[in-house]
Amino acid sequence: MTALVFIESAHPAGRIADPNTPQLSVLDQGVTRGDGIFETAHYRDGAVRKLDAHLARMRSSAASVEITIPTEEAFRTAVNTAVTEFLKEYDDAASVTLEAAVKIVVTRGAEGAEHGTAWVMVSPVSKSILEQRENGIDVMLLERGYDSTVADRAPWLLMGAKTLSYAVNMAALRHAHHHGADDVIFVASDGLVLEGPTSSVLIATEVDGVKKLTTPILETGILPGTTQGAIFAAAEKAGWELGYGPLEPHHLHEADAVWLVSSVRLLAPVNKIDGTEVSRNEELHRELQGLVDQIM
Ligand code: PLP
């Protein structure tokens, strides 16, 4: 089901490995400290979508955490090898409509090691993700525990880098699930809307025929979403106005539609925030869905 390929200099095309047997050293700091970085991209229509943007963000995350990463060519070759390996299980007809999640990971490696550990994993998209695209999600607002200006003051918090330290993000999701919600929107201690634990926040408004998309300001230290970026680029060409926050919770309640967006889930329309229904303008949703489908 899942294909796994390690990026190693002795194996120019990548080393295919069995994801169901142990592969990592217990000394790897990616395991012992969550010290590493990753990207998750989306395979569909025979291609890994917006791979350039994912590799660019990987480079930026690597610079933040000061980890040396493989070359761009090594990443691309390993991604190709992993996708080819993944597709072997499917016949040609199925592979045309197939979707997959492509995860690229680089850890700091074992203490004192010359280089880190890097691999690519390609797995099927879960059913719950497909359902969220269709049915939408209920979200909870949860406090993030710092204010929206912390990124500048405290670079060691690695704000805006996509590191492996996602335990807090996963705990927030579990908290939401225990309280009957599907997902979370984090809010800074000064009241600004930030992002989801694995997604960016997007809102749409339509006033006198002018459609506008708004997302929280990146200076709050949120991850610059590749999906949000690609949607903004496509929406601008289609004549939408664009805006970057600052957003507060009341803006979400006043919007004509709210989504959580990310590479594999794409557009998940928000139905309720903290139990209160939010507007879900189906026409705006269809239009945005059309733009998302064009993203390559
Ligand atoms: N914000 C966080 C914290 C994320 O983990 C993610 C993706 O996993 C995103 C935003 C959305 O990023 P992208 O659209 O590049 O998948």
Side-chain angles (χ1 to χ4, degrees), residues 87-165:
L87 291 178
K88 278 184 184 163
E89 281 201 26
Y90 301 87
D91 61 31
D92 287 350
S95 64
V96 173
T97 53
L98 202 64
E99 292 188 50
V102 179
K103 190 161 181 173
I104 308 171
V105 182
V106 184
T107 73
R108 196 175 296 282
E111 199 119 9
E114 258 171 47
H115 51 75
T117 316
W119 67 90
V120 178
M121 222 163 56
V122 181
S123 352
V125 174
S126 75
K127 224 173 124 203
S128 71
I129 282 187
L130 302 176
E131 281 167 7
Q132 291 194 357
R133 283 185 202 157
E134 279 304 308
N135 304 332
I137 49 177
D138 293 349
V139 305
M140 266 182 105
L141 299 181
L142 292 184
E143 53 182 311
R144 190 66 174 101
Y146 37 66
D147 69 62
S148 66
T149 63
V150 76
D152 267 353
R153 290 198 313 276
W156 57 89
L157 291 181
L158 304 174
M159 307 291 290
K162 196 163 167 66
T163 76
L164 288 175
S165 307

Side-chain angles (χ1 to χ4, degrees), residues 38-40 50 54 57 162 166 169 195-200 223-228 261-264:
F38 76 106
E39 282 295 323
T40 305
K50 47 182 178 54
H54 285 288
R57 192 170 61 189
K162 196 163 167 66
Y166 261 50
N169 302 39
E195 62 187 341
T198 64
S199 60
S200 310
L223 193 73
T226 61
T227 314
Q228 171 269 314
V261 306
S262 56
S263 293
V264 178

Side-chain angles (χ1 to χ4, degrees), residues 222-274:
I222 57 176
L223 193 73
T226 61
T227 314
Q228 171 269 314
I231 292 175
F232 264 37
E236 188 167 33
K237 278 193 198 141
W240 291 60
E241 281 190 4
L242 306 177
Y244 289 89
L247 292 180
E248 293 175 16
H250 70 90
H251 292 113
L252 308 183
H253 288 285
E254 290 156 11
D256 293 308
V258 180
W259 299 270
L260 292 189
V261 306
S262 56
S263 293
V264 178
R265 192 162 40 166
L266 304 174
L267 274 184
V270 174
N271 296 326
K272 285 184 185 170
I273 299 176
D274 288 342

Side-chain angles (χ1 to χ4, degrees), residues 173-202:
L173 281 177
R174 284 195 302 277
H175 183 87
H177 296 160
H178 294 325
H179 289 80
D182 305 299
D183 214 312
V184 169
I185 293 178
F186 284 126
V187 179
S189 55
D190 50 1
L192 293 198
V193 170
L194 297 172
E195 62 187 341
T198 64
S199 60
S200 310
V201 176
L202 213 58

Side-chain angles (χ1 to χ4, degrees), residues 4 6 8 15-26 31 117 119:
L4 170 65
F6 281 92
E8 293 169 357
R15 178 172 64 79
I16 297 168
D18 178 357
N20 297 311
T21 60
Q23 297 289 345
L24 280 183
S25 162
V26 292
V31 177
T117 316
W119 67 90

